[in-house]
Amino acid sequence: MSPLKLERSDDAKPPGNDKECVTTVLKGLETIAPLVSSVEETPEPISTEVQGTIPSWINGNFLRNGPGKFEFGNTHYNHWFDGMAMLHQFKIENSKVTYMSRFLHSDAYKKNSERDRIVMSEFGTLAMPDPCKNFFQRFLSRFQMMQPTDNASVSFVKYKGDYYVSTETNFIHKVNPENLETLEKVDWSKFIAVNGATAHPHYDPDGTSYNMGNSYGSKGALYNIISVPPAKTEAKETLQGAKVLCSIVPANKSHPSYYHSFAMSENYVVFIEQPIKMDLLKIVTCKLRGKALNEGIYWDPNQETVFHLVHKRTGEVSSVKYHTKAMSTFHQINAFEEDGLLMLDMCCSDDGENINNYLIQNLRKAGDALDEVYNTTSRAFPRRFVLPLNVTSETPTGQNLNTRPSSTATCVKTSKDKVFCHHEDLHGDDLHEYGGLEFPQINYGRCNTQPYRYFYGCGFRHLVGDSLLKMDLKDKTFKVWYQKGFYPSEPVFVPSPDAVEEDDGVILSVVLTPSQNKGTFLLVLNAKTFEELGRANVPVNMPYGFHGTFNASA
């Protein structure tokens, strides 16, 4: 099925792992430089050409977020995560689709635009001192603390019924989902003692939001679990009522773990303390040293990964710590409790070096140089860890506490408060041919924190997704949507109004074609059969984005 030359390699074999050692080496990758190039915004809705049929019951806005501008004047960003946030809206109504996009009017975007150069530092780009200042002023500016960016380019999130766009700093922006207008900049640190929060909150059925954020003080870093109430008491409210449920002390306070997200079951928040570490001294002094923030983040394969359980109602942190070998994760799939066990499903990689492979210069390479970047980037695969919830002093050591007969995951108590876990693969060997899976999504409204059967994601036979996958946990098989030269975004599941089964609905994904000018389209798949129902062709160029959501019309 693949148009590429595939080769098997057993070179990088991590210890104690017999499965993910088999990687697929690709040659002849297509250049994707147009997918990481600046584009113009489309601030007024334009019509699209629909092919096939878009079900008439889909009514609402499909919202997407991601970087859309990679330079100002003759200054250029270095990392994919640095580009200025561009918000996209596909309005679906009566089987028709309109499209619009706007740059987020963050302070970073406005200041950079006013001076036509990069004046706000980002994750992988250090802003250079103002060339209009004299040498002494430029020298002194290196001793000033770097200001956190408000370039919220990662995702759309919801708090108290309002939409915000988020990155991982303390700043989020309230936006209008109907016209993508930037409404209000909101600072987490004005409400609770945190210096940032993830762009992946979780939601209880009543609308209560949970998130995580670090705080930094004279004694080092803390990981904080946050909750935000489900509703406003006044119309203009933002994060009022937010509270820190508990704080977790890092294994090393001056080298806390980096995390992009966390997991949540019905009763617990699960924090994954992984060996992607932040050297706080390097980060605090990066401006002085003339280095970008990302150079203070590193992978330590000698550290184990630790799962911390926090009870959502009481804020109590479990004294039992669940360990596994060094691995990295960006996105969790789901977590649920059953028979005294917590099943934790997530996309995992056996190393954490990937974050610095996504430099813009790497993504814009071609030929052998592009192949080399891809083939030295580790793939993520879906895995399940099983965590026993009722570990006491009476629990025997040295035996597998996973009582589920159909599961190959193991969890063994090794000492008083330590359980060592080994994962179960949620896939067969055939997923290797599709480059693993990332950007996982489920039928969130129905299945989050509950037992479930299906999840969806992108296959990665390139540095960005090049296929859509529907995974079936019942027999670990999958369905595929793939067309050569087309690059789909994170799949978002929208349930049908009369849904009976878990996969009754559609999948929405934005598909980009770097070899074709203005070859973008919104793809609509039948979630059950994974067959195409229709597509809406959008006559614009669009960069490859990160995350999105569907906002159903009332």
Side-chain angles (χ1 to χ4, degrees):
M1 189 173 189
S2 169
L4 303 162
K5 185 178 178 186
L6 305 175
E7 296 178 3
R8 288 289 198 178
S9 167
D10 295 302
D11 293 342
K13 183 169 183 175
N17 185 343
D18 346 286
K19 275 234 156 170
E20 301 320 2
C21 57
V22 183
T23 59
T24 305
V25 174
L26 299 186
K27 294 187 176 178
L29 289 171
E30 174 185 15
T31 181
I32 55 166
L35 307 189
V36 282
S37 297
S38 298
V39 298
E40 299 295 320
E41 61 183 1
T42 307
E44 297 298 326
I46 59 172
S47 57
T48 66
E49 177 203 354
V50 174
Q51 291 176 257
T53 304
I54 293 176
S56 58
W57 58 262
I58 310 175
N59 285 291
N61 296 322
F62 182 39
L63 305 169
R64 293 272 305 154
N65 194 356
K69 184 172 177 64
F70 298 94
E71 65 281 310
F72 286 90
N74 60 3
T75 57
H76 300 259
Y77 288 116
N78 298 323
H79 200 283
W80 190 23
F81 299 171
D82 299 344
M84 291 291 97
M86 179 176 250
L87 315 182
H88 307 265
Q89 179 212 76
F90 295 83
K91 183 180 285 292
I92 308 171
E93 198 170 27
N94 301 322
S95 300
K96 294 187 170 66
V97 180
T98 61
Y99 168 78
M100 66 178 296
S101 63
R102 282 187 167 186
F103 284 109
L104 176 69
H105 279 233
S106 61
D107 289 349
Y109 177 79
K110 289 185 287 190
K111 289 177 181 176
N112 293 339
S113 298
E114 284 165 11
R115 302 188 190 177
D116 197 29
R117 67 181 184 85
I118 295 169
V119 297
M120 291 283 288
S121 294
E122 298 290 341
F123 175 73
T125 305
L126 181 68
M128 289 296 105
D130 187 345
C132 297
K133 291 182 176 178
N134 63 38
F135 172 80
F136 186 63
Q137 289 171 317
R138 291 201 302 272
F139 175 73
L140 285 181
S141 72
R142 286 185 175 259
F143 294 88
Q144 297 168 348
M145 281 288 289
M146 186 186 290
Q147 296 302 306
T149 182
D150 67 335
N151 175 36
S153 64
V154 178
S155 66
F156 278 85
V157 299
K158 212 172 186 180
Y159 294 110
K160 302 184 185 180
D162 288 330
Y163 276 97
Y164 295 81
V165 286
S166 177
T167 180
E168 297 178 344
T169 68
N170 52 306
F171 296 118
I172 58 177
H173 286 270
K174 186 189 287 189
V175 295
N176 183 341
E178 292 301 321
N179 62 10
L180 303 182
E181 183 185 356
T182 306
L183 299 176
E184 183 181 358
K185 178 181 173 180
V186 178
D187 183 351
W188 276 102
S189 66
K190 296 282 192 281
F191 300 93
I192 50 176
V194 296
N195 296 91
T198 81
H200 291 288
H202 275 293
Y203 309 98
D204 267 351
D206 70 352
T208 301
S209 308
Y210 294 87
N211 208 332
M212 284 198 62
N214 282 6
S215 55
Y216 304 103
S218 58
K219 295 180 180 177
L222 289 172
Y223 309 121
N224 302 289
I225 313 296
I226 304 162
S227 71
V228 180
K232 301 179 187 177
T233 55
E234 294 180 14
K236 292 187 177 180
E237 265 190 26
T238 57
L239 299 175
Q240 283 85 349
K243 61 182 180 181
V244 172
L245 289 179
C246 73
S247 300
I248 299 170
V249 179
N252 182 336
K253 285 186 174 185
S254 62
H255 291 248
S257 290
Y258 168 80
Y259 54 94
H260 182 71
S261 58
F262 61 98
M264 186 178 86
S265 68
E266 187 173 358
N267 294 297
Y268 295 94
V269 165
V270 186
F271 169 55
I272 300 121
E273 190 172 20
Q274 61 186 353
I276 301 178
K277 298 294 182 180
M278 300 188 292
D279 184 328
L280 295 187
L281 181 61
K282 280 189 175 181
I283 288 171
V284 167
T285 60
C286 60
K287 195 170 181 182
L288 177 64
R289 296 180 301 109
K291 301 287 185 182
L293 187 148
N294 67 313
E295 297 202 22
I297 296 177
Y298 66 98
W299 167 245
D300 183 355
N302 298 313
Q303 297 283 325
E304 291 181 345
T305 301
V306 182
F307 304 123
H308 300 266
L309 263 58
V310 177
H311 199 284
K312 284 157 58 175
R313 314 286 180 262
T314 66
E316 183 182 353
V317 184
S318 171
S319 60
V320 178
K321 303 302 177 189
Y322 304 85
H323 291 240
T324 191
K325 66 184 182 66
M327 59 93 182
S328 66
T329 180
F330 275 81
H331 300 113
Q332 287 70 56
I333 305 166
N334 200 4
F336 62 94
E337 300 159 41
E338 205 170 59
D339 303 326
L341 302 169
L342 190 152
M343 272 54 70
L344 173 61
D345 299 349
M346 53 192 184
C347 294
C348 305
S349 173
D350 285 323
D351 79 40
E353 304 276 11
N354 285 2
I355 202 164
N356 285 323
N357 277 15
Y358 283 92
L359 298 172
I360 291 170
Q361 65 182 24
N362 287 341
L363 291 164
R364 289 177 178 170
K365 284 179 176 176
D368 291 346
L370 176 61
D371 295 347
E372 183 181 356
V373 173
Y374 176 80
N375 291 320
T376 54
T377 300
S378 63
R379 328 284 201 262
F381 288 87
R383 298 174 179 172
R384 170 169 293 175
F385 292 87
V386 176
L387 314 183
L389 293 172
N390 305 313
V391 178
T392 68
S393 58
E394 306 299 312
T395 304
T397 58
Q399 69 183 52
N400 184 14
L401 303 175
N402 180 9
T403 53
R404 293 166 72 90
S406 60
S407 172
T408 59
T410 61
C411 41
V412 177
K413 181 182 173 186
T414 58
S415 59
K416 179 173 177 282
D417 285 326
K418 180 176 178 180
V419 173
F420 195 87
C421 304
H422 193 275
H423 69 268
E424 168 189 0
D425 291 324
L426 297 181
H427 63 90
D429 288 344
D430 48 358
L431 186 60
H432 290 273
E433 301 295 342
Y434 289 88
L437 181 146
E438 249 295 353
F439 292 141
Q441 289 283 315
I442 59 171
N443 181 344
Y444 192 94
R446 173 169 170 158
C447 298
N448 188 50
T449 77
Q450 301 299 315
Y452 69 114
R453 179 173 172 179
Y454 302 109
F455 63 97
Y456 310 87
C458 289
F460 271 75
R461 283 182 300 191
H462 211 302
L463 292 170
V464 298
D466 78 326
S467 62
L468 293 171
L469 306 173
K470 176 188 180 180
M471 307 295 294
D472 186 343
L473 287 171
K474 187 176 180 182
D475 55 10
K476 298 184 181 178
T477 59
F478 59 89
K479 290 182 166 68
V480 184
W481 181 91
Y482 168 77
Q483 291 183 10
K484 181 182 178 182
F486 289 17
Y487 297 86
S489 71
E490 167 193 71
V492 170
F493 178 86
V494 182
S496 58
D498 54 354
V500 175
E501 297 184 318
E502 180 186 329
D503 57 349
D504 285 340
V506 298
I507 290 294
L508 302 179
S509 177
V510 179
V511 181
L512 308 178
T513 52
S515 62
Q516 182 183 338
N517 188 41
K518 299 181 178 179
T520 304
F521 60 91
L522 172 65
L523 175 68
V524 183
L525 298 179
N526 179 325
K528 188 174 287 292
T529 65
F530 234 51
E531 292 171 351
E532 181 173 334
L533 296 172
R535 61 177 69 177
N537 296 300
V538 189
V540 300
N541 289 320
M542 204 180 296
Y544 197 90
F546 297 135
H547 298 290
T549 190
F550 182 74
N551 173 31
S553 298

